[in-house]
């Protein structure tokens, strides 16, 4: 209700109304381009492959719903997301990039430019891998190298256009452009998912349907609570003597989010879980009996509904959550910044004790956040095991993205409304 009230207030302001109309126009262009198919594809076989592959279905979520019909934007924003993750990791390793990231708006623009440049070769590589995968599955009806190159250029161009639309959304629209595009793709697939759920659930008993609906409500509740959850650490700044009378100490808070990593650990885990599945399909057709047995082991024991797959997937998500949180949040750097600004945590001495305290708090909340992300990742598999209904309408990862984007966009809308009211007051 608060979001609807904010949208009504936003429509009354000409500047913000123009941003909303630009956002809707760009999303309309994206959905139109997402329905232009790539030539030379067997649609029936493609649909059957997606209905039996949880990996491809999850990748379709991150592509914004463009991979399932293999449109000209089939790669979606996946290359851009991978490039952003790689730049974030390199920033922690390369001192020049770390110094550039601390140069304010100029540094952010330069890193964004590096991200765009890195997106292009990643899109070329991923387009080639996608074509080879579909060709081996008998889906891509292509034979000549010229056809492969033309489809690679088409898919790469689609990713570049989508990246450009996302940046236009960020600059002239409401919220983060890439996140809104992914949200639009998931929201566009939601009616189809609900229809599939209804058609499957019609043959199920009423108990399974009620359990499925209850699980959906519980997931939505905990996703909202976990996304907004923060641990506030009190920071006290010492008195500062100026030319005028002495000012008192300032009391602030250092917010530590329960989910510091977002959906990035799930992306990492999906990338690794793709390896044994693809390797198993390749080794099954090998001539060596040992390789055939190894491929059969991967294919059978790491099937999406197997408990070994669920346990491995959950463990990878938890491990990557701790790893990425450690990369993004550096307790030593935070403690050093607090000390340089004349601040301290009440009851904790500056220096090494502050680092140990922040590390202790971070490990505790990250454990809860990692367990939550792991549960969200394997939720569709658990839901299918309990209810027998196979669908992404309950969509752990998709639902996490949708809720995060809605909350982030509503906060930005609220802040812009407050700024407009403040300017009008002045």
């Amino acid at each position: 209700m608060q979001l609807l009230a904010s949208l009504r207030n936003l429509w009354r302001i000409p500047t913000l109304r123009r941003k909303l109309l630009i956002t809707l126009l760009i999303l309309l262009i994206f959905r139109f381009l997402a329905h232009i198919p790539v030539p030379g594809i067997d649609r029936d076989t493609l649909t059957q492959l997606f209905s039996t592959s949880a990996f491809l279905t999850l990748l379709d979520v991150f592509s914004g719903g463009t991979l399932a019909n293999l449109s000209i934007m089939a790669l979606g924003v996946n290359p851009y997301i991978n490039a952003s993750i790689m730049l974030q990791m390199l920033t922690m390793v390369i001192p020049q990039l770390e110094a550039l990231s601390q140069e304010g708006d100029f540094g952010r623009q330069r890193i964004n430019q590096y991200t765009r440049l890195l997106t292009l070769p990643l899109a070329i590589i991923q387009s080639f891998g996608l074509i080879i995968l579909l060709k081996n599955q008998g889906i891509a009806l292509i034979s000549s190298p010229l056809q492969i190159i033309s489809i690679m250029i088409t898919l790469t161009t689609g990713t570049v256009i989508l990246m450009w639309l996302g940046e236009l959304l960020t600059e002239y629209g409401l919220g983060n452009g890439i996140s809104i595009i992914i949200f639009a793709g998931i929201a566009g697939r939601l009616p189809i998912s609900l229809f599939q759920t209804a058609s499957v659930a019609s043959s199920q008993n009423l108990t399974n349907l009620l359990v499925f609906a209850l699980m959906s409500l519980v997931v939505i509740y905990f996703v909202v609570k976990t996304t907004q959850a923060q641990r506030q650490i009190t920071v006290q700044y010492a008195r500062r003597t100026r030319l005028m009378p002495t000012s008192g100490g300032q009391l602030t808070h250092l917010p530590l989010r329960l989910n510091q990593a977002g959906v990035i650990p799930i992306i990492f885990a999906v990338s690794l879980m793709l390896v044994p599945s693809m390797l198993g399909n390749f080794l099954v057709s090998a001539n060596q009996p040992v390789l055939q047995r190894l491929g059969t082991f991967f294919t059978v024991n790491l099937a999406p509904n197997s408990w070994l797959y669920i346990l491995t997937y959950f463990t990878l998500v938890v491990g990557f959550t701790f790893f990425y949180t450690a990369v993004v949040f550096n307790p030593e750097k935070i403690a050093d910044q607090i000390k340089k600004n004349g601040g301290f945590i009440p009851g904790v001495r500056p220096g090494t004790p502050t680092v140990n305290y922040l590390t202790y708090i971070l490990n505790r909340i990250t454990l809860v956040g990692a367990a939550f992300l792991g549960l969200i990742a394997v939720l569709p598999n658990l839901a299918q095991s309990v209810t027998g209904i196979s669908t992404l309408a309950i969509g752990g990862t998709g639902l996490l993205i949708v809720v995060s984007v809605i909350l982030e966009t509503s906060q930005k809308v609220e802040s812009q409304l407050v700024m407009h009211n403040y300017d009008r007051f002045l």
Side-chain angles (χ1 to χ4, degrees):
M1 296 300 294
Q2 184 179 1
L3 179 60
L4 295 178
S6 300
L7 290 177
R8 286 195 298 267
N9 296 329
L10 182 145
W11 186 258
R12 299 189 184 102
I13 303 172
T15 304
L16 299 182
R17 182 171 65 244
R18 183 172 64 252
K19 288 187 175 184
L20 177 61
L21 293 176
I22 291 175
T23 300
L24 296 177
L25 177 61
I26 293 177
L27 292 180
L28 182 63
I29 295 173
F30 160 64
R31 294 309 302 167
F32 172 76
L33 295 176
H35 287 83
I36 301 178
V38 173
I41 300 299
D42 187 350
R43 302 294 163 187
D44 296 333
T45 309
L46 179 66
T47 304
Q48 183 180 2
L49 178 63
F50 269 84
S51 63
T52 58
S53 176
F55 292 115
L56 294 178
T57 306
L58 186 56
L59 290 177
D60 184 49
V61 170
F62 291 112
S63 69
T66 59
L67 185 60
N69 59 346
L70 205 65
S71 69
I72 60 175
M73 293 186 173
L75 295 180
V77 292
N78 288 325
Y80 182 82
I81 294 175
N82 295 332
S84 301
I85 295 173
M86 293 176 64
L87 260 296
Q88 289 181 0
M89 304 293 290
L90 291 176
T91 301
M92 304 301 170
V93 178
I94 301 177
Q96 290 82 358
L97 287 177
E98 184 178 3
L100 188 63
S101 64
Q102 298 175 358
E103 294 184 8
D105 187 62
F106 171 77
R108 286 192 297 270
Q109 291 181 1
R110 183 60 63 86
I111 291 179
N112 288 337
Q113 183 65 22
Y114 293 158
T115 304
R116 299 187 197 104
L117 295 176
L118 184 59
T119 300
L120 185 60
L122 289 179
I124 295 174
I125 296 173
Q126 292 186 17
S127 63
F128 179 75
L130 179 62
I131 293 172
I132 297 302
L133 175 63
L134 296 179
K135 184 175 174 54
N136 293 335
Q137 296 291 333
I139 298 175
L141 306 178
I142 54 179
S143 56
S144 65
L146 184 60
Q147 290 178 320
I148 296 178
I149 294 175
S150 62
I151 295 179
M152 288 176 57
I153 294 176
T154 301
L155 295 177
T156 303
T157 304
T159 297
V160 173
I161 294 175
L162 199 56
M163 180 177 60
W164 176 63
L165 291 177
E167 292 184 353
L168 287 179
L169 261 177
T170 303
E171 185 174 359
Y172 300 105
L174 298 173
N176 183 278
I178 300 299
S179 300
I180 292 179
I181 285 177
I182 298 177
F183 166 78
I186 298 174
R189 295 173 63 253
L190 186 60
I192 300 176
S193 298
L194 292 177
F195 177 77
Q196 292 175 350
T197 303
S199 62
V200 173
S202 61
S203 60
Q204 307 291 332
N205 55 46
L206 183 61
T207 303
N208 286 351
L209 185 60
L210 293 177
V211 171
F212 182 82
L214 181 61
M215 290 178 64
S216 302
L217 295 177
V218 171
V219 168
I220 293 175
Y221 174 80
F222 280 104
V223 165
V224 173
K225 288 296 183 180
T226 307
T227 303
Q228 294 183 318
Q230 291 182 350
R231 169 67 186 271
Q232 301 284 349
I233 298 180
T234 304
V235 179
Q236 177 83 38
Y237 287 93
R239 294 172 177 265
R240 296 181 179 179
T241 304
R242 304 176 181 175
L243 297 178
M244 299 302 290
T246 304
S247 61
Q250 183 181 4
L251 188 66
T252 61
H253 292 89
L254 176 66
L256 296 181
R257 295 177 57 189
L258 183 62
N259 182 15
Q260 293 272 358
V263 296
I264 291 179
I266 298 179
I267 299 176
F268 285 164
V270 168
S271 301
L272 282 185
M273 292 301 294
L274 278 171
V275 175
S277 176
M278 297 178 62
L279 187 62
N281 293 330
F282 176 76
L283 293 178
V284 166
S285 58
N287 295 326
Q288 298 291 334
V290 178
L291 297 179
Q292 291 180 355
R293 287 195 296 268
L294 184 60
T296 304
F297 174 81
F298 285 148
T299 304
V300 174
N301 294 281
L302 289 178
N305 294 328
S306 65
W307 285 105
L308 180 59
Y309 165 84
I310 295 176
L311 181 60
T312 305
Y313 192 14
F314 179 85
T315 305
L316 286 176
V317 172
V318 172
F320 280 129
T321 302
F322 274 95
F323 172 75
Y324 188 79
T325 303
V327 171
V328 173
F329 188 90
N330 190 343
E332 294 183 2
K333 185 181 296 185
I334 299 298
D336 185 60
Q337 291 177 355
I338 294 175
K339 183 178 179 181
K340 287 181 179 179
N341 294 326
F344 63 93
I345 300 176
V348 181
R349 297 182 60 184
T352 303
T354 301
V355 175
N356 296 334
Y357 178 77
L358 291 177
T359 303
Y360 173 73
I361 297 297
L362 185 65
N363 289 336
R364 292 180 64 188
I365 64 175
T366 303
L367 178 61
V368 179
F372 170 76
L373 277 182
L375 183 61
I376 284 294
V378 301
L379 186 61
N381 308 87
L382 296 177
Q384 183 177 359
S385 301
V386 174
T387 64
I389 301 176
S390 177
T391 180
L392 285 180
I394 190 175
T397 305
L399 188 59
L400 179 62
I401 296 175
V402 168
V403 171
S404 300
V405 172
I406 290 177
L407 293 177
E408 179 184 3
T409 304
S410 62
Q411 291 173 359
K412 289 188 176 182
V413 170
E414 286 290 338
S415 63
Q416 293 185 19
L417 289 174
V418 170
M419 289 177 59
H420 179 269
N421 294 332
Y422 181 75
D423 293 338
R424 187 176 58 180
F425 174 77
L426 291 179

